[in-house]
Amino acid sequence: MELADLDFNKVYTYADYMKWQFDERVELLKGKIFKMSPAPNRMHQEISSIIHYEIFNFLKTSKCKVYAAPFDVRLPRKSKEDKDILTVLQPDICVICDESKLDDRGCIGAPDIVVEILSPSNNKKELKYKYEIYEEAGVKEYWVVFPPEKTIMIYTLTSGKYIASRFMFAEDTVASSVLPGFSLDLNRLFASLPPSE
């Protein structure tokens, strides 16, 4: 079966997703198929590597774990049965502090932190859906990295709704309410990126 053989208007489940063997990577957002971007570019990978490295080093003595894509995050609404799960995402980076959410196939339930690094081909509708899905699922922090602008925005879950930080720039340091004591120097993070045009 090819990706083109699927009906993009149909609602699919994680049970369907597990049967697919496509060359293309896909995500399920509330049962709808979204093709992921082509392989991330070099700048995307550098940013991902640095953030993953910094969080990984910080978590060495913690029960929390950090994972980089490809890594399936299943977000069940009611049942954890494969046939009932309609949302399967592959965040660029995620942090999970509740080990009971981890299994051999990835994470089932909301990570504590999700980091998404935007690419030129990211679909605005997809980003809107992800914001809503992460908020609804209870992801405590949702970081959105904008490489061309060299900025980060962090959404922190407060009383079930996301509150946005200000845009943080290269001269700023990111802190996390989920990981007290963690800091990320954005000057170092964005140092390898070409100047903005």
Side-chain angles (χ1 to χ4, degrees):
M1 178 186 279
E2 300 291 327
L3 182 57
D5 296 330
L6 296 179
D7 180 352
F8 276 66
N9 294 313
K10 184 180 169 186
V11 172
Y12 293 95
T13 69
Y14 181 62
D16 298 315
Y17 174 94
M18 288 299 290
K19 295 175 191 168
W20 298 334
Q21 306 264 327
F22 311 130
D23 291 334
E24 302 97 329
R25 286 174 47 215
V26 298
E27 295 178 301
L28 280 182
L29 281 71
K30 297 187 177 181
K32 297 294 184 185
I33 300 169
F34 282 83
K35 290 192 283 188
M36 297 185 71
S37 304
N41 65 31
R42 181 176 64 89
M43 294 307 168
H44 180 288
Q45 292 299 79
E46 284 187 25
I47 291 170
S48 179
S49 296
I50 292 168
I51 294 173
H52 185 270
Y53 172 82
E54 294 289 340
I55 295 175
F56 179 83
N57 277 338
F58 180 79
L59 295 179
K60 279 183 178 175
T61 59
S62 168
K63 66 182 175 90
C64 299
K65 306 286 184 191
V66 61
Y67 297 93
F71 180 79
D72 283 346
V73 172
R74 292 161 281 153
L75 298 174
R77 297 283 310 260
K78 298 172 185 168
S79 160
K80 292 184 180 181
E81 294 290 319
D82 292 353
K83 65 180 177 57
D84 297 323
I85 296 173
L86 300 178
T87 299
V88 186
L89 301 170
Q90 291 192 9
D92 289 312
I93 297 169
C94 59
V95 175
I96 297 110
C97 295
D98 180 352
E99 291 186 39
S100 72
K101 293 181 179 179
L102 296 170
D103 62 20
D104 290 342
R105 296 184 288 171
C107 174
I108 184 157
D112 294 86
I113 298 174
V114 162
V115 180
E116 295 280 10
I117 302 161
L118 299 194
S119 302
S121 57
N122 281 114
N123 182 305
K124 288 181 182 176
K125 188 197 300 189
E126 177 188 353
L127 295 176
K128 176 181 181 293
Y129 284 159
K130 284 188 175 181
Y131 173 98
E132 292 169 353
I133 286 168
Y134 290 144
E135 182 180 64
E136 185 180 290
V139 174
K140 294 175 187 172
E141 283 184 359
Y142 175 30
W143 301 13
V144 181
V145 184
F146 303 86
E149 294 82 7
K150 299 184 182 179
T151 61
I152 289 183
M153 173 79 74
I154 294 181
Y155 299 94
T156 303
L157 198 66
T158 305
S159 301
K161 293 289 180 191
Y162 276 141
I163 304 296
S165 69
R166 65 175 176 78
F167 274 106
M168 288 175 272
F169 300 89
E171 61 272 14
D172 294 320
T173 300
V174 168
S176 168
S177 60
V178 173
L179 304 175
F182 173 78
S183 63
L184 176 65
D185 179 350
L186 296 191
N187 196 43
R188 180 178 178 281
L189 177 66
F190 293 128
S192 62
L193 272 66
S196 299
E197 295 183 0

